[in-house]
């Protein structure tokens, strides 16, 4: 069962799309996330779009297992296909940072 927990692993993924390709990027990410949701240790993903520049997209991800995220998740077929196909709409590889929850308020 997916539960929010202070033990959850947080991943921030920042994407920059090519000019006029934000809708294509959002569609590709949505398709990817629908597959990612089926993975073990998935908790949630929230997609954010910069209101001043829709070529900036941020994913806030929560996972219940850091080892799974950095291992098995990274080699899933749907993620590998997205990485390959995203060259058509992303300006460059995403910036990925990983975090642990210290405290919730």
């Amino acid at each position: 069962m997916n539960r929010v927990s202070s033990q959850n692993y947080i991943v921030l993924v920042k994407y920059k799309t090519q000019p006029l390709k934000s809708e294509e990027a959002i569609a590709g990410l949505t398709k990817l996330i629908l597959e990612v949701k089926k993975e073990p240790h998935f908790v949630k993903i929230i997609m954010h779009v910069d209101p001043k520049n829709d070529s900036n997209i941020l994913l806030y991800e929560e996972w219940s297992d850091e080892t799974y995220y950095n291992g098995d998740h990274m080699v899933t077929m749907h993620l590998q296909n997205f990485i390959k196909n995203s060259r058509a709409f992303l300006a460059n590889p995403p910036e990925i940072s990983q975090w642990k929850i210290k405290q919730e308020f």
Side-chain angles (χ1 to χ4, degrees), residues 49-94:
V49 177
D50 182 340
K52 295 179 181 164
N53 182 349
D54 67 1
S55 69
N56 295 319
I57 300 169
L58 173 70
L59 296 186
Y60 170 94
E61 303 186 15
E62 279 191 42
W63 294 82
S64 63
D65 187 282
E66 175 182 355
T67 302
Y68 175 84
Y69 176 84
N70 286 307
D72 292 345
H73 167 68
M74 289 297 171
V75 296
T76 58
M77 187 62 68
H78 49 265
L79 183 56
Q80 292 301 311
N81 285 339
F82 175 81
I83 291 169
K84 181 176 65 177
N85 297 335
S86 68
R87 294 181 185 129
F89 50 80
L90 293 181
N92 43 45

Side-chain angles (χ1 to χ4, degrees), residues 15-74:
Y15 295 96
K16 180 74 170 175
T17 72
Q18 296 173 17
L20 306 175
K21 298 274 183 135
S22 62
E23 289 303 317
E24 189 177 342
I26 290 168
L29 284 165
T30 300
K31 180 180 173 188
L32 171 65
I33 292 166
L34 291 174
E35 292 302 312
V36 169
K37 286 175 64 171
K38 300 173 188 174
E39 291 184 52
H41 307 292
F42 170 85
V43 176
K44 73 177 174 182
I45 294 177
I46 302 172
M47 185 187 307
H48 305 266
V49 177
D50 182 340
K52 295 179 181 164
N53 182 349
D54 67 1
S55 69
N56 295 319
I57 300 169
L58 173 70
L59 296 186
Y60 170 94
E61 303 186 15
E62 279 191 42
W63 294 82
S64 63
D65 187 282
E66 175 182 355
T67 302
Y68 175 84
Y69 176 84
N70 286 307
D72 292 345
H73 167 68
M74 289 297 171

Side-chain angles (χ1 to χ4, degrees), residues 12-15 92-97:
L12 301 178
V13 187
K14 292 165 63 171
Y15 295 96
N92 43 45
E95 290 179 41
I96 302 173
S97 59

